[in-house]
Amino acid sequence: MAQAWRCSGLRWSADGPVLAWEGGRCSALTCGKRVAFGVAEGGVRTCVGARGHACPLGAAVPGRSTGARCEECARLDRAHSVAADTLADDPRPYRVYLAWFGPGMAKVGITAVRRGPARLLEQGAVCFSWLGTGPLMAARRTEELLRAALRVPDRIPYADKRAVRAVLPAGDGERAAELADLHARAVALTGWPESLAREPFRPVDHVGVFGLAGAPAAAGEVRELVAGGTVSGELVAAAGPDLHLATGAGQGVVVLDTRLLTGWGLLPAAGGEFSVPVRAVRDRAAAAQDGLF
């Protein structure tokens, strides 16, 4: 039997997206590349552990989980996390940002200055702008201020992000319009922490980076991997953790969330078969309406 590879996730580098594998190997993902792999018959998805340590139980995890961790490892992974508000003493500077994913779909968030725009690429932000820079707790208070005053969320489901990618405005100015309005309203608010330095509106557009310009609309998305299943398709776009694959098997373009790969032992697949469960992409109009702020 061929050697099984274990994926550790999709990473965004200066040259674009790469799939990282346990052991340090990476596979560059460029538009037009064939992505093909399978799961061995009888294969089981197991917990990926926490904070660089293997799961002591080797616990099985559900195929539809995007975290690929058992309950105990998930708890340990979030025990020292900015996202979970358990890392309040980090002395490094943070940035507050506004991100836009499609019509009526914007969010506020924070990220460490040292990470640059990586967090926005990982989330699949179509357009974003920095809003301010300062200590972690000042950035967090500003995030809460904007959520309350402007009714902007700090999380948007990936299903909603996928649904609106096919209805993005053609021009980068149109894509930045909602962010420009939000940025202006945000800087006009009172109550900003004094230690947070505000930044001017400078939108950054990722449509070109993601390969979404002119990309065909996705018809479906992978629900989960299964033992004995195979995935095969030509990469037409990549946004956040998602690969948009032209399957050529009557299914059109299917989105594969690469977070579903972790925990599985994956094998090379030479054929063009696509035999994992797929569901329809959420209705685009409904997703845009739900995202209005």
Side-chain angles (χ1 to χ4, degrees):
M1 179 181 291
Q3 178 185 357
W5 293 85
R6 296 181 71 85
C7 182
S8 55
L10 187 148
R11 308 283 185 268
W12 282 90
S13 71
D15 298 321
V18 298
L19 274 181
W21 304 92
E22 291 183 8
R25 180 179 175 181
C26 290
S27 302
L29 295 168
T30 55
C31 284
K33 182 172 184 173
R34 170 67 55 176
V35 176
F37 60 86
V39 180
E41 292 284 354
V44 176
R45 192 184 192 197
T46 57
C47 174
V48 297
R51 311 195 68 79
H53 300 284
C55 175
L57 302 177
V61 293
R64 299 185 189 185
S65 166
T66 55
R69 288 186 173 91
C70 66
E71 290 186 10
E72 181 63 16
C73 287
R75 184 187 66 79
L76 291 172
D77 192 63
R78 293 178 65 83
H80 198 59
S81 163
V82 170
D85 277 336
T86 56
L87 188 60
D89 58 347
D90 190 342
R92 294 170 295 187
Y94 278 76
R95 274 176 159 164
V96 185
Y97 62 81
L98 290 168
W100 184 86
F101 300 88
M105 200 171 292
K107 63 158 282 187
V108 60
I110 68 173
T111 186
V113 168
R114 65 182 175 83
R115 297 208 67 211
R119 181 65 178 146
L120 286 306
L121 291 164
E122 291 167 357
Q123 292 184 20
V126 173
C127 181
F128 82 93
S129 177
W130 303 121
L131 193 57
T133 304
L136 172 58
M137 295 314 294
R140 183 64 83 195
R141 286 196 298 271
T142 304
E143 180 186 40
E144 291 299 322
L145 171 68
L146 298 185
R147 286 178 59 194
L150 303 182
R151 297 177 59 198
V152 183
D154 63 348
R155 288 178 177 83
I156 294 176
Y158 275 100
D160 293 349
K161 297 176 187 179
R162 295 174 191 128
V164 296
R165 286 178 192 153
V167 293
L168 297 175
D172 53 6
E174 296 174 88
R175 293 192 291 269
E178 287 184 49
L179 279 190
D181 176 66
L182 269 179
H183 190 283
R185 292 163 59 195
V187 297
L189 292 172
T190 59
W192 281 58
E194 293 183 2
S195 57
L196 193 89
R198 305 186 195 192
E199 298 193 30
F201 181 64
R202 293 195 180 100
V204 178
D205 194 272
H206 287 153
V207 162
V209 176
F210 292 156
L212 293 174
E221 57 186 63
V222 174
R223 189 170 65 224
E224 61 181 320
L225 300 189
V226 293
T230 58
V231 169
S232 180
E234 179 183 310
L235 184 66
V236 295
D242 295 340
L243 304 182
H244 292 229
L245 303 174
T247 65
Q251 294 173 303
V253 172
V254 175
V255 178
L256 170 65
D257 184 339
T258 53
R259 296 175 299 173
L260 298 174
L261 305 184
T262 54
W264 287 104
L266 303 177
L267 303 171
E273 186 178 2
F274 201 104
S275 60
V276 295
V278 173
R279 63 189 169 205
V281 170
R282 185 180 176 188
D283 180 77
R284 299 174 184 90
Q289 182 64 35
D290 288 350
L292 290 176
F293 50 84

